[in-house]
Amino acid sequence: MQAHELLKQLRIPELSEVRDYFRSLSTNTLLGMGAFTAVTAYWFATRPKALKPPCDLRMQSVELPGGEFARRGVVLNGGPLLSHFYEDAKTIYECFHRGLRESKNGPCLGSRKPKQPYEWLSYSEGSNLCITPVNAVDACVCVWWVSLPLQNIGKAHRQHPVPPQPDDLAIICFTSGTTGNPKGAMLTHRNIVSNSSAFIYVTKSSCPIGPQDVHISYLPLAHMFERVVQGLILVHGARIGYFQGDIRILMDDLTTLKPTVFPVVPRLLNRMFDKIYGQANSSLKRHILEFAFRRKENEMKSGIMRRDSVWDKIIFKKVQASVGGHVRMMLTGAAPISAPVLTFLRAALGCQFYEGYGQTECTAGSTTTLPGDWTAGHVGAPLSCNDIKLVDVAEMNYYAAKGEGEVCVRGPNVFKGYLKDPEKTKEALDEDGWVHTGDIGKWLPNGTLKIVDRKKHIFKLAQGEYIAPEKIENIYIRSEAVAQTFVHGDSLQACLVAIIVPDPDFLPGWAKKRGIEGSYEELCKNKEVKKAILEDIVKLGKESGLKSFEQVKDIALHTEMFSIQNGLLTPTLKAKRADLRNHFRKLIDELYSNIKM
Ligand SMILES: *[C@@H]1O[C@H](CO)[C@@H](O)[C@H](O)[C@H]1NC(C)=O
Ligand SMILES: *[C@@H]1O[C@H](CO)[C@@H](O)[C@H](O)[C@H]1NC(C)=O
Ligand SMILES: CC(=O)N[C@H]1CO[C@H](CO)[C@@H](O)[C@@H]1O
């Protein structure tokens, strides 16, 4: 995803701005206490109270009886799983009508032309649009709102819709998975409403959504994540503003729309992080940035989240302005985010920033971090619409009895199966209604879940070591020079290699610091650049605890991004590993033959 426009304006203040701030303090204060102490004292004096969390954060989930080691969110207080939050909103259709009443038929859907303000359709105008089966996005055929037997999809827009029931089909979301043919996951109204409701349930007191809220919609609708957030917005009568369709000018849409709700994906967050750090390019600036971050991090540890501290005023204001200045709630999901990046951006953006975990088969979400828990490195507690259990994966040495294993999810958000594919359905959904996700999780002592590994994409190297390439890729893409990576190996080879797509926006600056200049294409052909990137990712790998056989021995640089269009990514932006392997067969063979020589 290219978002350099969004990031162009992220910067930390010039020294002169910090100086101006100090100047604004009275001379007595400065002489009496020293500027540094003054700032710290101001921060301390204006420190607000922590948010009241929805449960004791030291124990966020409890084990259920039955000997299966299944766990349920503590927020439910021992009650049953939740399938809706509002009595009058049990289907998406009803959610929409509730939004209409809540907002008194206020603005609902907005879009804009270049350099123009947003134009809004009201809820009643929007209902004409929404109550038709919507679009085929990226192969994802999505039937929104209406419930009709499938064979009738084509007719649906012409008929007057029949209000659906909770168990009626709402969407068929085609997930191609990372291997094999696309599978159409069948999701009902109850599935979607339960996920939105679970989130409302935990955030209702800390971050209530209302008609004044604005959501920026720019993620592909193929992401159930985006749809579920839209459900959350509509049921409360808030509004949805669409971006202009070009991620490179998302920045402009953000500052025009001034959204309060901003869902994000890790790739965007990594770019923001790199950009902010990249601009703190003198050691003084870096120290100030680190110092401000540490102060805010300490506040977050005691549950405080805000953006009116002195650190926000002098250091982080620009970052916050770059996303419009009004963001109250952010959500990240869809892929793992590194803990240091999430913690830093929580501090910098100062809004309630939740991390969720889930998959299409569970309607996007199965866990979320809780309000007041601003620690990173876990994905939070089970949502109130599902239980979670971990099951043994003996071949990888994970055992449920030790609190580790494959993550399985059961509850009203779990899908009905894949369209016309009983075999695949049986693989994913067992007889007792548990979805087997293929992710490996681990329970932390405070009842939160940490995703540690992936079951499917595992292979053995020639000597028999197990390799989980996605874990390695997630570490390597943290390199500023790297946009995308594909790590390859198989049981015939003794080591790993990777295809790397360098980041077009960052590579030139990164190489320049190492004394190498040239266009993006030239740099990608340059042996020195390749060597420097290899060294950088291996260093990152080492710092992150990769074993030596988990590190790549050689890489090839490739200039074209893996994308949905060229068939190398799924509609939810995951790597299609088998296709990547075939596509890069020749390069991979060359890499191995050079290593052997
Ligand atoms: C540091 O960053 C500023 C912009 O924030 C830029 O103008 C300047 O050239 C950079 N200095 C170095 C040494 O990279
Ligand atoms: C939960 O436990 C993890 C791992 O022990 C820790 O990193 C995190 O800070 C804890 N969260 C809270 C809110 O105590
Ligand atoms: C809107 C909403 O509630 N969506 C949630 C679905 O589940 C994911 C994963 O926990 C959350 O991040 C979403 O917020």
Side-chain angles (χ1 to χ4, degrees):
M1 184 177 298
Q2 293 163 21
H4 59 95
E5 284 297 327
L6 164 68
L7 301 160
K8 229 179 220 166
Q9 299 197 10
L10 297 179
R11 61 178 195 95
I12 73 153
E14 294 305 324
L15 202 53
S16 62
E17 292 171 51
V18 179
R19 207 166 47 218
D20 287 347
Y21 175 76
F22 286 121
R23 281 211 187 115
S24 73
L25 298 171
S26 81
T27 330
N28 277 346
T29 319
L30 285 173
L31 291 179
M33 304 162 73
F36 218 53
T37 334
V39 173
T40 313
Y42 174 77
W43 161 76
F44 201 78
T46 56
R47 197 163 61 138
K49 292 272 180 313
L51 206 76
K52 192 174 176 303
C55 70
D56 184 347
L57 296 177
R58 289 169 302 179
M59 191 39 78
Q60 305 183 20
S61 69
V62 280
E63 191 172 314
L64 298 171
E68 280 193 295
F69 307 107
R71 299 181 76 90
R72 183 169 291 185
V74 161
V75 287
L76 282 169
N77 264 322
L81 294 176
L82 197 79
S83 61
H84 58 272
F85 188 77
Y86 299 111
E87 271 308 311
D88 57 354
K90 294 184 190 162
T91 63
I92 301 162
Y93 182 87
E94 289 176 357
C95 287
F96 194 85
H97 284 272
R98 185 178 186 279
L100 190 149
R101 290 191 297 276
E102 285 288 302
S103 66
K104 307 199 169 55
N105 194 22
C108 175
L109 303 173
S111 61
R112 66 186 290 233
K113 304 215 170 67
K115 307 209 163 43
Q116 299 292 311
Y118 271 84
E119 286 174 25
W120 295 93
L121 292 181
S122 68
Y123 266 79
S124 60
E125 288 165 326
S127 72
N128 295 329
L129 271 184
C130 289
I131 302 180
T132 53
V134 182
N135 61 15
V137 184
D138 301 330
C140 176
V141 179
C142 298
V143 188
W144 226 179
W145 319 119
V146 279
S147 73
L148 289 167
L150 276 168
Q151 54 273 35
N152 281 345
I153 287 176
K155 287 191 209 146
H157 9 203
R158 278 174 266 130
Q159 289 176 349
H160 203 68
V162 184
Q165 297 302 307
D167 284 316
D168 287 339
L169 206 57
I171 288 182
I172 299 177
C173 197
F174 280 86
T175 68
S176 55
T178 43
T179 49
N181 293 328
K183 296 172 288 185
M186 298 186 283
L187 298 169
T188 63
H189 287 260
R190 190 193 304 280
N191 288 155
I192 297 162
V193 171
S194 66
N195 181 252
S196 297
S197 299
F199 194 73
I200 300 170
Y201 188 76
V202 292
T203 56
K204 63 179 183 247
S205 56
S206 61
C207 201
I209 301 287
Q212 75 289 350
D213 278 298
V214 188
H215 158 67
I216 174 106
S217 179
Y218 67 98
L219 294 175
L221 281 171
H223 263 301
M224 277 308 300
F225 180 56
E226 171 65 18
R227 285 180 180 268
V228 168
V229 176
Q230 293 196 0
L232 168 79
I233 294 298
L234 294 174
V235 77
H236 292 110
R239 54 180 103 165
I240 300 172
Y242 290 89
F243 79 136
Q244 289 176 71
D246 183 349
I247 201 77
R248 287 168 305 179
I249 50 171
L250 179 61
M251 169 72 205
D252 189 50
D253 292 333
L254 281 166
T255 48
T256 307
L257 183 65
K258 304 195 189 317
T260 60
V261 178
F262 184 27
V264 283
V265 288
R267 169 111 187 92
L268 190 69
L269 298 175
N270 288 337
R271 299 289 300 272
M272 287 173 93
F273 179 85
D274 288 344
K275 188 79 183 180
I276 299 169
Y277 261 79
Q279 269 156 6
N281 58 6
S282 70
S283 84
L284 180 64
K285 275 189 188 173
R286 189 138 316 188
H287 271 98
I288 296 174
L289 184 66
E290 288 278 341
F291 186 82
F293 164 60
R294 295 288 166 218
R295 298 284 82 64
K296 289 208 73 187
E297 188 190 21
N298 279 340
E299 283 197 344
M300 292 191 325
K301 280 187 189 144
S302 45
I304 297 164
M305 184 57 91
R306 58 166 174 161
R307 53 169 185 273
D308 59 358
S309 74
V310 63
W311 309 113
D312 294 292
K313 294 197 174 107
I314 63 175
I315 307 284
F316 298 122
K317 197 172 59 186
K318 287 273 161 34
V319 184
Q320 293 157 9
S322 73
V323 294
H326 289 71
V327 175
R328 304 197 296 130
M329 180 194 273
M330 286 176 72
L331 306 152
T332 175
I337 172 82
S338 89
V341 171
L342 180 58
T343 305
F344 179 83
L345 290 175
R346 273 179 171 153
L349 293 160
C351 65
Q352 298 194 25
F353 195 159
Y354 300 95
E355 179 175 3
Y357 156 78
Q359 44 282 115
T360 301
E361 289 77 2
C362 311
T363 323
S366 39
T367 71
T368 181
T369 55
L370 296 182
D373 183 352
W374 309 122
T375 63
H378 60 82
V379 292
L383 282 177
S384 51
C385 56
N386 56 249
D387 295 329
I388 291 188
K389 71 171 179 181
L390 305 180
V391 301
D392 292 356
V393 186
E395 68 274 24
M396 291 171 75
N397 231 340
Y398 291 114
Y399 294 98
K402 286 164 61 187
E404 296 171 344
E406 180 179 6
V407 179
C408 297
V409 183
R410 182 172 69 181
N413 55 337
V414 162
F415 79 140
K416 295 295 155 215
Y418 298 112
L419 180 70
K420 295 184 185 154
D421 200 340
E423 203 174 303
K424 284 270 170 1
T425 302
K426 230 170 131 190
E427 275 172 32
L429 191 62
D430 71 20
E431 286 160 357
D432 300 322
W434 293 96
V435 168
H436 292 244
T437 64
D439 293 320
I440 306 288
K442 175 186 168 69
W443 292 112
L444 298 181
N446 47 23
T448 56
L449 184 71
K450 183 181 173 81
I451 303 300
V452 291
D453 215 332
R454 176 86 196 146
K455 190 177 158 191
K456 276 191 194 131
H457 305 125
I458 292 272
F459 53 81
K460 276 190 202 174
L461 284 176
Q463 311 87 312
E465 293 108 340
Y466 278 107
I467 299 290
E470 283 161 332
K471 178 178 90 179
I472 304 170
E473 288 161 4
N474 284 328
I475 293 170
Y476 287 172
I477 51 167
R478 290 281 312 107
S479 166
E480 216 181 292
V482 174
Q484 290 174 320
T485 135
F486 169 62
V487 168
H488 173 85
D490 60 49
S491 57
L492 301 175
Q493 304 293 349
C495 64
L496 302 176
V497 294
I499 308 294
I500 303 266
V501 183
D503 195 312
D505 298 328
F506 284 87
L507 184 70
W510 188 87
K512 197 172 168 194
K513 279 190 217 143
R514 286 156 182 78
I516 315 168
E517 296 194 42
S519 71
Y520 176 67
E521 277 72 21
E522 286 161 4
L523 291 172
C524 290
K525 286 194 195 114
N526 186 312
K527 288 221 164 58
E528 290 300 308
V529 171
K530 186 185 105 165
K531 193 161 155 268
I533 293 181
L534 181 60
E535 280 168 12
D536 198 46
I537 59 177
V538 168
K539 182 165 145 274
L540 276 169
K542 203 164 171 194
E543 285 163 9
S544 311
L546 290 186
K547 306 200 183 67
S548 67
F549 62 82
E550 290 177 301
Q551 297 267 23
V552 296
K553 287 287 170 295
D554 200 2
I555 58 174
L557 303 184
H558 182 71
T559 52
E560 190 195 348
M561 290 273 196
F562 315 152
S563 67
I564 304 169
Q565 290 75 18
N566 63 23
L568 299 177
L569 295 186
T570 71
T572 53
L573 309 177
K574 294 199 175 70
K576 286 172 133 174
R577 310 196 70 85
D579 296 287
L580 282 159
R581 195 160 47 236
N582 291 335
H583 190 83
F584 292 112
R585 186 82 266 168
K586 206 165 144 264
L587 265 181
I588 289 170
D589 290 345
E590 277 171 30
L591 284 171
Y592 278 122
S593 64
N594 289 341
I595 292 171
K596 289 204 182 95
M597 272 168 22

